[in-house]
Amino acid sequence: MDFDEFREFGHASIEFIINYLSGIRERDVLPSVAPYSVINQLPKEIPEKPEHWREVLKDLEHIILPGLTHWQSPYFNAFFPSSSSAGSIVGELLIAGIGVLGFSWICSPACTELEVVVMDWLAKFLKLPEHFQHASDGPGGGVIQGSASEAVLVAVLAAREQAVLSCKETHPELSESEVRGKLIAYSSDQSNSCIEKAGVLAAMPIKLLPADEDLILRGDTLRKAIEEDVAAGRIPVICIATLGTTGTCAYDDIESLADVCQASKVWLHVDAAYAGGGFALEECAELRRGLDRVDSLNFNLHKFMLVNFDCSAMWLRDANKVVDSFNVDRIYLKHKHEGQSQIPDFRHWQIPLGRRFRALKVWITFRTLGAEGLRNHVRKHIALAQQFESFVRNDSRFEMVAPQALGLVCFRPRGDNENTTQLLQRLMERKKIYMVKAEHAGRQFLRFAVCGMDAKPSDIEFAWTEIESQLTAQLAEKSLAEVARKPSNVSDLRQHFQMHLASDGGGTHEKSQ
Ligand code: PLP
């Protein structure tokens, strides 16, 4: 492909994206395809001869798009948002166009230095403690990981290696494998699945402690677990707290957890994958309580900061603990500016060697929206969630399950779990909106998350009309079914009573029937 053709392809692709995004409300949010439909429409091998890009875009339109779930639709209300913006999309294109990798400073100095700058911008914007900035005097700093899962895993692995080091000093009688066999970590039973997975990958059990009735993990629970484990000869390593749990966006009590972690020399990591966006707002200042005492934290820009997937910010109070844990060198990776402050080699802060120039899309997003635009975005999601909550509260057939938090509302139709299951099933079959279920203490509920690239109050009204009208239909069908099950005329009644009399052995229960 020459540059002229590349230009044409590029322009057509941008047009394609604009048409897709501007018409996204016209599509059902969930696809209507059966399993294998995409596989069956595509050739089994790479085409031998090059094909024209127009043919590729045509297949994208006719084969791929029908098989998509539309994450950027405002009617996508499942999980948490996977945010995006024009600046970020163009940033992604430019990243691919420039095509550099930035695992060490010399590989592309601007790649590393822009990341240092945007991570410090973000730390200030989110009002994080100063020690998390590269520009601070201490060893702290931020890095962009691909996902919250990677950030959590990095924290877990680093904490594990630090614990092994210190244990070898305090217990020289133990072999390294004996030490490793005693390590133990903690999180709440409300934490994201990626935390349990980090434990599996790090070969270190993570105990999922029961959150309190209000779904919050507090220091007392952690203290008891640590005391029990220490008494049993285990070595506590890390606690992963959550600000904004996936189920209900509950906030663990960081202050009380920090008290316990500090006393027990346990690493405290905070997973704020979604709720970290709230740190930017004065009205959500409560959320930041205790962050000055944590060792590391992560926040997904791809959830709440208008940067498209993948982009997950991670900050460390002492980056040396990670760098020292993961430092594996080769002569071909060395350069003469290694080890200078503010010139990190980010390969030591992450799992892969290669790394994308994600800082570019962050920089472009931040500059094209400004801090004001980013704050407005978070505020808009909160306001839309409040709008949805007011619909729930004004309809006595529904109940709230947890307090509305940021852009998330957890609610259910009153009655047993079957009502919730059936309602969700109806909604999924109609494909107009997409939500998922969650469960706490045996009660199932629906999560309505404000998502989409440009959600509006009219979208919330659309979603609510869909939900409440489907409940109306469900309840009407249920009543009809009940009536159909009940005896409705004299001969039915006679038959009904006879059945009961027969099964009761001829007793005299007629009156109570
Ligand atoms: N932590 C929380 C609280 C989440 O809600 C999620 C995903 O929704 C994750 C972690 C995992 O995020 P990622 O897909 O970036 O690994």
Side-chain angles (χ1 to χ4, degrees), residues 311-370:
C311 196
S312 187
M314 177 186 195
W315 287 275
L316 295 146
R317 173 192 279 273
D318 182 353
N320 292 331
K321 290 188 176 164
V322 170
V323 172
D324 295 345
S325 302
F326 301 154
N327 196 343
V328 176
D329 252 321
R330 290 289 181 278
I331 195 149
Y332 48 79
L333 294 172
K334 294 212 158 290
H335 64 91
K336 69 176 183 187
H337 299 291
E338 264 180 328
Q340 288 186 13
S341 78
Q342 293 200 41
I343 301 190
D345 279 344
F346 279 126
R347 69 191 165 91
H348 299 307
W349 299 46
Q350 61 173 20
I351 293 160
L353 173 60
R355 66 193 323 266
R356 284 157 41 67
F357 191 4
R358 296 188 188 96
L360 186 59
K361 63 179 174 178
V362 176
W363 188 52
I364 296 174
T365 305
F366 287 180
R367 292 188 61 184
T368 51
L369 289 162

Side-chain angles (χ1 to χ4, degrees), residues 33 36-44 62-63:
V33 292
Y36 303 107
S37 74
V38 175
I39 293 175
N40 289 339
Q41 289 180 79
L42 295 174
K44 301 277 175 275
H62 298 297
I63 301 177

Side-chain angles (χ1 to χ4, degrees), residues 71 79-81 145-152 190-195 241-247 249-250 271-275 298-303 309-312 447:
W71 281 69
F79 312 112
F80 279 133
Q145 308 279 6
S147 64
S149 310
E150 284 169 58
V152 169
Q190 298 301 305
S191 63
N192 187 266
S193 56
C194 76
I195 289 159
T242 311
L243 286 175
T245 56
T246 311
C249 199
D271 172 20
Y274 170 65
N298 65 274
F299 161 55
N300 280 359
L301 283 90
H302 62 242
K303 279 188 170 30
F309 192 87
D310 53 352
C311 196
S312 187
R447 295 169 72 266

Side-chain angles (χ1 to χ4, degrees), residues 179-249:
V179 170
R180 288 187 187 275
K182 290 175 187 294
L183 304 178
I184 181 93
Y186 309 90
S187 191
S188 122
D189 59 2
Q190 298 301 305
S191 63
N192 187 266
S193 56
C194 76
I195 289 159
E196 197 176 338
K197 189 169 179 178
V200 174
L201 294 171
M204 178 168 64
I206 297 195
K207 276 195 179 168
L208 299 180
L209 305 174
D212 289 346
E213 193 70 342
D214 52 7
L215 306 176
I216 293 172
L217 178 67
R218 295 188 169 81
D220 279 347
T221 310
L222 178 64
R223 181 179 298 110
K224 276 187 212 127
I226 289 181
E227 281 169 2
E228 270 174 34
D229 282 328
V230 171
R234 289 186 273 268
I235 304 166
V237 172
I238 181 171
C239 171
I240 302 111
T242 311
L243 286 175
T245 56
T246 311
T248 60
C249 199

Side-chain angles (χ1 to χ4, degrees), residues 203-460:
M204 178 168 64
I206 297 195
K207 276 195 179 168
L208 299 180
L209 305 174
D212 289 346
E213 193 70 342
D214 52 7
L215 306 176
I216 293 172
L217 178 67
R218 295 188 169 81
D220 279 347
T221 310
L222 178 64
R223 181 179 298 110
K224 276 187 212 127
I226 289 181
E227 281 169 2
E228 270 174 34
D229 282 328
V230 171
R234 289 186 273 268
I235 304 166
V237 172
I238 181 171
C239 171
I240 302 111
T242 311
L243 286 175
T245 56
T246 311
T248 60
C249 199
Y251 309 121
D252 287 343
D253 181 8
I254 305 301
E255 287 278 23
S256 67
L257 293 170
D259 288 342
V260 178
C261 288
Q262 223 164 329
S264 317
K265 295 195 170 50
V266 164
W267 184 302
L268 180 56
H269 178 85
V270 170
D271 172 20
Y274 170 65
F279 297 161
L281 306 183
E282 243 352 288
E283 59 271 34
C284 298
E286 236 341 71
L287 279 185
R288 298 192 301 267
R289 225 160 40 89
L291 290 186
D292 52 326
R293 302 173 64 194
V294 312
D295 296 287
S296 53
L297 81 148
N298 65 274
F299 161 55
N300 280 359
L301 283 90
H302 62 242
K303 279 188 170 30
F304 223 168
M305 214 72 332
L306 290 155
V307 181
N308 66 299
F309 192 87
D310 53 352
C311 196
S312 187
M314 177 186 195
W315 287 275
L316 295 146
R317 173 192 279 273
D318 182 353
N320 292 331
K321 290 188 176 164
V322 170
V323 172
D324 295 345
S325 302
F326 301 154
N327 196 343
V328 176
D329 252 321
R330 290 289 181 278
I331 195 149
Y332 48 79
L333 294 172
K334 294 212 158 290
H335 64 91
K336 69 176 183 187
H337 299 291
E338 264 180 328
Q340 288 186 13
S341 78
Q342 293 200 41
I343 301 190
D345 279 344
F346 279 126
R347 69 191 165 91
H348 299 307
W349 299 46
Q350 61 173 20
I351 293 160
L353 173 60
R355 66 193 323 266
R356 284 157 41 67
F357 191 4
R358 296 188 188 96
L360 186 59
K361 63 179 174 178
V362 176
W363 188 52
I364 296 174
T365 305
F366 287 180
R367 292 188 61 184
T368 51
L369 289 162
E372 187 184 69
L374 297 170
R375 276 190 295 267
N376 287 344
H377 172 72
V378 179
R379 286 200 173 105
K380 183 176 85 168
H381 276 218
I382 296 173
L384 292 175
Q386 287 167 344
Q387 181 192 356
F388 187 87
E389 181 195 10
S390 74
F391 288 141
V392 175
R393 290 197 186 278
N394 284 324
D395 189 328
S396 59
R397 298 171 303 167
F398 291 92
E399 60 185 333
M400 291 286 288
V401 172
Q404 164 265 332
L406 298 175
L408 184 70
V409 179
C410 297
F411 71 110
R412 69 197 297 274
R414 289 185 195 275
D416 56 26
N417 285 341
E418 194 50 29
N419 281 352
T420 304
T421 304
Q422 279 180 14
L423 178 57
L424 186 62
Q425 202 173 324
R426 294 179 80 95
L427 294 168
M428 297 284 283
E429 275 163 18
R430 285 170 54 83
K431 307 176 198 303
K432 301 293 173 209
I433 64 168
Y434 178 25
M435 287 186 294
V436 288
K437 261 194 317 189
E439 182 173 329
H440 175 61
R443 279 207 321 167
Q444 295 192 352
F445 57 90
L446 301 173
R447 295 169 72 266
F448 181 88
V450 177
C451 300
M453 211 163 146
D454 183 26
K456 295 181 165 52
S458 54
D459 297 318
I460 305 299

Side-chain angles (χ1 to χ4, degrees), residues 22-42:
S22 61
I24 207 159
R25 284 177 177 81
E26 286 144 37
R27 296 175 189 270
D28 283 347
V29 64
L30 284 164
S32 295
V33 292
Y36 303 107
S37 74
V38 175
I39 293 175
N40 289 339
Q41 289 180 79
L42 295 174

